[in-house]
Amino acid sequence: MAIIENKKDQTYTLYTKNTMYQMKVNEIGMLIHTYYGNKMEYMDMSLVNRTWGTAFSPNVQDVEKYISYSHEKQELSCAGVGDFRLTQMSVRNTDGSLGCEPRFVSAEITSGKYSLSGLPAFYGEEAQSLKVTLKDKVHDVYFHLMYGVFEEKDLITRAVIVENKTDAKISLEKALTVTLDFPDGEYDMVYFHGRHARERMLERKRIEHSKAVVSSIRGASSHMQNPFAMICDKNATEDYGSVWGLAFVYSGNFEICAEKDHQEKTRLTMGINHENFKFEILPNDVFICPEVAMVYSGEGFGKMSNSFHKAIRENLCRGEFKNAVRPVLINNWEGTYFDFNADKLVSMAHDAAKMGVELFVMDDGWFGKRDNDRCALGDWIVNEKKLQGTLKNLSERINKEGLKFGIWFEPECISADSDLYRAHPDYAFAMPGRTPQVSRNQYVLDFTRKEVRDNIYNQLVKILESTKIDYVKWDFNRHITDLYSISLPTERQGEVFHRYILGLYELLERITSKFPHILFESCSGGGGRFDCGMLYYMPQVWTSDNTDAIDRLKIQYGTSFAYPVRTMGAHVSVCPNHGNARTTPLKTRGNVAYFGTYGLELDVTKMTDDEKAEIARQIKEFKKYYDLIQYGDYYRLLTPFHPEESLYCAWQVTKDDKSEALVCAVRYESDASTAPQYVKLKGLKENAWYTVNDSEEKYLGAALMNIGLFLEYDFISYPSRLYHIVEVK
Ligand code: DGJ
């Protein structure tokens, strides 16, 4: 049993294979957080929550014992009643007061994982769910705290459903999903910042007595911050120490805040960003705070990552392509940009097919008058002049070359120079009396409105039904400004950001379920929406517009903390690289793209015969290692973020039974007389013998892990090697 209710102590304990999470109802009905960490047989309640009163911390008046909202560790912290720390929920009551004191009402354990209407969430029959219902002391406002427990994956999910059972409307001025109180205060926060073409750069800082905030207010989870962060021991490493990883299953504005309080304890809150947020709940209606997924590891970052990887692969991604072998694709974007016609695309497909490529993706530029990025978004009508015929003609020509056919859309945006905008300028977000901001020459469609979503849905369906389409890339190339919806009254404009995401999810659900045989890849100017929300609808994400193999090391390394290799779109492109003019060996470009979905993004017709032969070799090699890479346990071995430690970046994937592993090592900087380098492998059997790249020599697993694998030296810029480790049986 993953969830245990102890009626005597009034505790609720969630058990996973290695972890334990516990809460307790106290003598006045508050739901207290008692523990989240390594699994223990027995919980010593006398150790829990010991505190004493301090000045300027008000106490709840109608009890004898000193209890202060400002001291208690709580599952749901509310603003307005004396908790001066970070809080999760701000409720504006029917009488205008702001405050809430939730008290225990009931708890219910069910088998299977709860779902959240209209929102993405982890799923699975094997999970168990707990619903703890609390009610405000004064008003009929209920909070249903939802917990999902995936025992084998060490994953626990949380969500909150706020229900208004009063007879008037209330509003939420802050509606986060999680309060997580830690037993003490000595922690670091690790998070992933960046910008376009430089996503998920790792940063680590000490949590002190001021707020550490990771957030987005851009209407998308964004390139700039990722909705995933870790709290860890000050000395935690890849293999050592306590790490709590938290991922938001949401693609819009978010905030993750941590702070050490006046009693030297750390609190974390996480959920929808409360800036520009205010949501009304009508009588008998509910508001759902999106899901947060949590993994605790007592053995460092690596173990936490592997738990997330497995859970995302098996309990978040859905559909036919969740487990299927995905086709090796070629995308024409960096090969042609807007400058193509059907003959050009077919010639690329022709050459690509000979190398073993399986899917051709036609990127931006096939619709309306779109020969540049200044027009036509919103007009999803095939440019038959450019395609020298219908879309069906083109897809059939591509199919004849032996490739499947895929296509690009940017459904959420609209160009001012489009027929759709001329007919419906009100479809785009704009504030009364202001000219909306342009970004990449485009506006954002008001997806809070059903008629706007329906218009786009119908256009997309028409295209997708016009011929056989096997793949769709769903792009989003700007952030949201001019937030105002004509569909909502003045006092409800604070709902627009969230309603936009709900609208997007509704459309994604409709489209992906109507076309279950299409492989969908999410994209937002590269990896601007790489989050668990999008992964629920689309099992892979274009990781970054930066295709330089060396920059990609950091991007893919950072991404790997939460997200599995199988979700990371990664392509081989041309050199000098279009983003940074760097030249890297073709082999290194391939080796780095293997640790993603592997594909091509260049004009193959311009490649030399040798280069074509190298790509053909890579496709074969990638397929040989496909299962190992896509489903193996993933280990970060050498970081690209610390050149002072090593000039190599290395990662490893290992088969479940430890009988086989693949290591990729890339030298990302050069110096004269480079020092010899060993890399310590992980996750092998200590007492088994292994060969390396079919070597005659055999190496003991323990030696490969304790002394390390010797990295061969190559006297070129940016060399890389794969090392295939196989157990000798
Ligand atoms: C941004 C994407 O990340 C690129 O791969 C490409 O699809 C362009 N948009 C097309 O406009």
Side-chain angles (χ1 to χ4, degrees):
M1 286 285 279
I3 304 175
I4 305 284
E5 176 183 26
N6 178 331
K7 288 214 161 109
K8 187 166 146 276
D9 287 345
Q10 276 217 285
T11 57
Y12 296 89
T13 312
L14 319 180
Y15 287 107
T16 68
K17 199 161 72 180
N18 299 295
T19 74
M20 172 178 170
Y21 183 105
Q22 195 186 58
M23 61 206 103
K24 173 179 171 54
V25 181
N26 76 359
E27 53 270 58
I28 62 164
M30 288 171 71
L31 190 63
I32 301 299
H33 176 73
T34 60
Y35 180 73
Y36 185 25
N38 281 319
K39 195 169 185 168
M40 299 189 289
E41 280 303 308
Y42 169 74
M43 182 72 177
D44 188 346
M45 280 300 160
S46 63
L47 288 175
V48 169
N49 233 20
R50 307 212 22 195
T51 186
W52 51 72
T54 52
F56 294 89
S57 293
N59 56 318
V60 181
Q61 276 212 34
D62 44 6
V63 286
E64 277 166 26
K65 196 181 138 196
Y66 173 79
I67 294 178
S68 171
Y69 290 122
S70 203
H71 288 177
E72 297 297 328
K73 295 202 268 163
Q74 294 160 62
E75 284 294 305
L76 171 67
S77 57
C78 291
V81 289
D83 193 339
F84 301 117
R85 298 168 289 178
L86 295 167
T87 51
Q88 174 184 346
M89 197 73 65
S90 281
V91 184
R92 182 74 63 188
N93 295 300
T94 47
D95 54 15
S97 63
L98 187 138
C100 202
E101 295 175 89
R103 296 289 188 267
F104 181 81
V105 176
S106 62
E108 187 191 356
I109 299 170
T110 48
S111 58
K113 167 70 188 355
Y114 66 81
S115 57
L116 300 172
S117 169
L119 283 166
F122 281 79
Y123 64 90
E125 299 273 293
E126 73 275 28
Q128 254 197 331
S129 299
L130 168 70
K131 175 161 105 175
V132 183
T133 297
L134 311 177
K135 180 195 160 297
D136 179 36
K137 234 165 89 173
V138 176
H139 298 284
D140 284 343
V141 178
Y142 287 75
F143 303 91
H144 306 288
L145 309 191
M146 313 297 293
Y147 299 84
V149 184
F150 293 81
E151 203 171 350
E152 282 305 305
K153 310 274 173 29
D154 280 331
L155 184 101
I156 293 175
T157 64
R158 289 175 66 176
V160 182
I161 302 172
V162 186
E163 188 178 7
N164 178 9
K165 288 199 187 170
T166 72
D167 53 12
K169 66 181 181 199
I170 59 168
S171 55
L172 301 178
E173 298 189 358
K174 194 199 264 185
L176 308 190
T177 306
V178 158
T179 304
L180 189 59
D181 281 324
F182 292 84
D184 52 43
E186 299 306 301
Y187 300 106
D188 283 358
M189 185 172 181
V190 183
Y191 52 95
F192 300 88
H193 70 99
R195 56 177 175 266
H196 175 241
R198 194 173 185 270
E199 298 90 342
R200 286 166 297 286
M201 298 292 112
L202 183 146
E203 211 161 75
R204 179 169 182 162
K205 75 167 163 213
R206 185 75 18 101
I207 299 171
E208 301 282 12
H209 299 90
S210 63
K211 292 185 183 85
V213 183
V214 177
S215 68
S216 166
I217 188 68
R218 293 168 172 269
S221 49
S222 89
H223 313 75
M224 292 73 190
Q225 302 277 6
N226 192 263
F228 168 78
M230 296 173 287
I231 304 295
C232 62
D233 285 343
K234 287 197 304 194
N235 50 3
T237 65
E238 280 293 330
D239 314 292
Y240 175 81
S242 287
V243 178
W244 292 262
L246 295 104
F248 200 20
V249 190
Y250 190 66
S251 314
N253 294 345
F254 71 92
E255 61 178 73
I256 307 172
C257 306
E259 188 182 24
K260 202 196 282 194
D261 69 18
H262 63 288
Q263 290 206 321
E264 313 300 332
K265 307 274 183 282
T266 292
R267 168 175 280 184
L268 172 135
T269 55
M270 180 164 176
I272 294 180
N273 197 324
H274 73 282
E275 198 176 314
N276 209 343
F277 172 90
K278 186 173 170 225
F279 217 98
E280 280 187 1
I281 318 181
L282 299 175
N284 296 318
D285 209 350
V286 297
F287 178 85
I288 306 173
C289 307
E291 183 161 280
V292 168
M294 314 185 297
V295 170
Y296 168 79
S297 153
E299 293 164 44
F301 304 119
K303 192 159 178 216
M304 179 226 54
S305 293
N306 272 306
S307 297
F308 267 115
H309 292 178
K310 287 202 180 92
I312 288 174
R313 282 196 318 245
E314 291 166 27
N315 301 97
L316 183 67
C317 294
R318 300 178 299 165
E320 247 173 50
F321 292 92
K322 169 180 162 176
N323 290 322
V325 175
R326 306 204 191 129
V328 170
L329 68 80
I330 178 163
N331 177 305
N332 72 306
W333 180 243
E334 285 197 26
T336 65
Y337 296 105
F338 292 104
D339 185 15
F340 62 84
N341 61 14
D343 290 345
K344 176 71 199 171
L345 301 184
V346 173
S347 70
M348 288 169 79
H350 179 79
D351 284 12
K354 287 198 203 142
M355 301 174 206
V357 173
E358 296 155 312
L359 164 71
F360 187 90
V361 179
M362 175 171 63
D363 209 280
D364 195 355
W366 56 266
F367 53 95
K369 305 176 284 163
R370 188 133 168 124
D371 288 327
N372 53 54
D373 64 14
R374 292 190 292 278
C375 64
L377 289 178
D379 297 343
W380 299 104
I381 295 161
V382 177
N383 181 342
E384 293 192 354
K385 198 163 157 239
K386 192 163 179 178
L387 295 198
Q388 300 166 293
T390 62
L391 190 66
K392 193 166 169 32
N393 295 147
L394 174 63
S395 72
E396 284 173 358
R397 287 178 70 188
I398 300 275
N399 290 163
K400 241 193 219 143
E401 298 295 338
L403 271 70
K404 293 173 190 290
F405 179 68
I407 195 166
W408 176 97
F409 288 102
E410 188 171 356
E412 297 158 73
C413 288
I414 184 165
S415 311
D417 183 4
S418 67
D419 291 340
L420 187 65
Y421 190 75
R422 281 182 281 274
H424 299 284
D426 61 293
Y427 275 16
F429 281 129
M431 289 200 233
R434 282 180 213 280
T435 313
Q437 316 292 310
V438 280
S439 183
R440 210 198 187 199
N441 310 299
Q442 63 202 49
Y443 304 134
V444 181
L445 286 167
D446 180 355
F447 269 12
T448 69
R449 293 167 60 189
K450 180 142 186 340
E451 68 271 33
V452 178
R453 301 196 301 269
D454 285 350
N455 180 301
I456 297 299
Y457 174 81
N458 292 332
Q459 291 198 58
L460 261 50
V461 168
K462 208 165 159 199
I463 295 286
L464 295 176
E465 284 182 339
S466 69
T467 185
K468 188 166 169 349
I469 292 180
D470 296 294
Y471 164 104
V472 163
K473 179 173 171 188
W474 183 293
D475 206 347
F476 180 56
N477 283 303
R478 63 159 295 174
H479 290 145
I480 301 179
T481 60
D482 304 278
L483 189 79
Y484 182 87
S485 176
I486 59 167
S487 66
L488 290 167
T490 312
E491 65 281 8
R492 301 194 73 163
Q493 290 297 323
E495 300 179 12
V496 180
F497 265 136
H498 182 53
R499 286 189 181 278
Y500 176 84
I501 295 293
L502 293 178
L504 170 65
Y505 288 156
E506 187 264 350
L507 182 60
L508 290 177
E509 186 64 45
R510 259 203 281 173
I511 284 279
T512 53
S513 52
K514 183 160 178 67
F515 298 99
H517 306 312
I518 291 182
L519 168 61
F520 284 84
E521 176 157 353
S522 146
C523 172
S524 173
R529 231 169 20 189
F530 207 129
D531 56 62
C532 287
M534 294 311 280
L535 284 169
Y536 180 73
Y537 300 97
M538 310 188 185
Q540 60 190 57
V541 185
W542 180 226
T543 314
S544 178
D545 273 350
N546 188 336
T547 55
D548 170 60
I550 301 306
D551 283 355
R552 272 283 181 139
L553 294 174
K554 282 185 181 164
I555 295 169
Q556 292 178 201
Y557 187 95
T559 305
S560 78
F561 277 81
Y563 309 102
V565 161
R566 190 161 170 68
T567 62
M568 292 186 219
H571 299 167
V572 171
S573 65
V574 78
C575 278
N577 184 272
H578 291 183
N580 64 6
R582 191 193 329 246
T583 295
T584 52
L586 187 51
K587 185 170 160 206
T588 295
R589 283 175 264 159
N591 282 343
V592 175
Y594 285 176
F595 290 80
T597 57
Y598 185 83
L600 307 182
E601 185 152 340
L602 71 176
D603 185 351
V604 275
T605 64
K606 295 189 180 141
M607 295 178 101
T608 64
D609 287 346
D610 282 354
E611 288 171 332
K612 287 179 176 169
E614 167 60 11
I615 294 293
R617 185 197 67 79
Q618 288 183 8
I619 292 174
K620 273 205 199 97
E621 186 166 59
F622 176 62
K623 288 196 170 271
K624 176 173 155 203
Y625 295 132
Y626 190 83
D627 282 356
L628 186 54
I629 293 173
Q630 304 280 315
Y631 305 110
D633 286 339
Y634 178 90
Y635 297 94
R636 290 173 292 270
L637 304 178
L638 294 173
T639 171
F641 286 96
H642 292 294
E644 73 283 4
E645 285 173 14
S646 166
L647 300 183
Y648 287 84
C649 168
W651 45 55
Q652 173 188 341
V653 283
T654 308
K655 205 168 162 180
D656 247 9
D657 66 2
K658 301 169 188 273
S659 63
E660 190 184 352
L662 186 69
V663 175
C664 174
V666 183
R667 202 172 74 226
Y668 59 90
E669 270 190 24
S670 294
D671 56 2
S673 105
T674 300
Q677 170 90 51
Y678 282 84
V679 57
K680 289 180 185 167
L681 306 193
K682 296 183 184 176
L684 302 177
K685 293 182 204 167
E686 301 236 324
N687 295 322
W689 291 89
Y690 293 88
T691 56
V692 178
N693 290 344
D694 296 325
S695 59
E696 300 256 300
E697 239 169 308
K698 296 179 185 35
Y699 304 89
L700 189 65
L704 289 171
M705 294 191 288
N706 290 309
I707 300 169
L709 174 75
F710 184 70
L711 297 181
E712 303 296 336
Y713 182 71
D714 295 298
F715 191 65
I716 56 171
S717 297
Y718 309 115
S720 68
R721 288 206 185 208
L722 292 182
Y723 299 91
H724 187 210
I725 320 288
V726 179
E727 184 185 356
V728 184
K729 292 211 169 137

